[in-house]
Amino acid sequence: MWVVPSETIYSQTVKKLRDKSNYLRQLLDQCSGGNLLILEKGQRLTRQDIDENLVILFVMIQSVSRHDAKEALKVFQDSGGYESFFPLDHRYDFA
């Protein structure tokens, strides 16, 4: 998870890491054996993605912070793109 403090830094960083000529992107490609997956909050992420790739998930600090214990973390207010991490209803043998 790559957490950034502002929309400007978020946009600039995502743009640079998507650019295959960027030195940091090249380093990440080298470290991952070319299996790099760059995702933004709300994009679908599966167990297979994590098993087969180095996954970088970008989020802004506001989505992973809260002011009090009752406030829900905004990062979990997603579009439902993480269902492969949870068992189907009434299935507890999920591995």
Side-chain angles (χ1 to χ4, degrees):
M1 184 173 288
W2 194 310
V3 182
V4 295
S6 71
E7 181 68 37
T8 302
I9 294 172
Y10 180 99
S11 299
Q12 291 172 352
T13 308
V14 169
K15 182 179 177 181
K16 286 184 180 192
L17 286 186
R18 290 193 188 280
D19 177 3
K20 292 189 178 197
S21 67
N22 178 277
Y23 75 95
L24 185 53
R25 169 59 188 258
Q26 292 173 358
L27 180 62
L28 291 168
D29 279 336
Q30 184 180 17
C31 291
S32 68
N35 296 320
L36 177 65
L37 185 59
I38 298 172
L39 299 176
E40 297 181 60
K41 183 179 172 273
Q43 288 186 292
R44 184 176 175 82
L45 175 66
T46 66
R47 292 174 63 98
Q48 184 176 357
D49 291 334
I50 290 179
D51 289 343
E52 297 175 358
N53 301 283
L54 169 59
V55 178
I56 298 177
L57 175 62
F58 278 92
V59 296
M60 286 186 32
I61 190 72
Q62 295 86 340
S63 66
V64 292
S65 64
R66 58 181 162 196
H67 298 286
D68 60 54
K70 292 184 180 182
E71 183 181 351
L73 291 174
K74 293 179 185 177
V75 72
F76 295 115
Q77 297 173 351
D78 66 84
S79 61
Y82 307 110
E83 66 272 355
S84 67
F85 292 94
F86 301 98
L88 299 172
D89 289 342
H90 309 293
R91 289 255 339 252
Y92 301 100
D93 59 338
F94 186 78

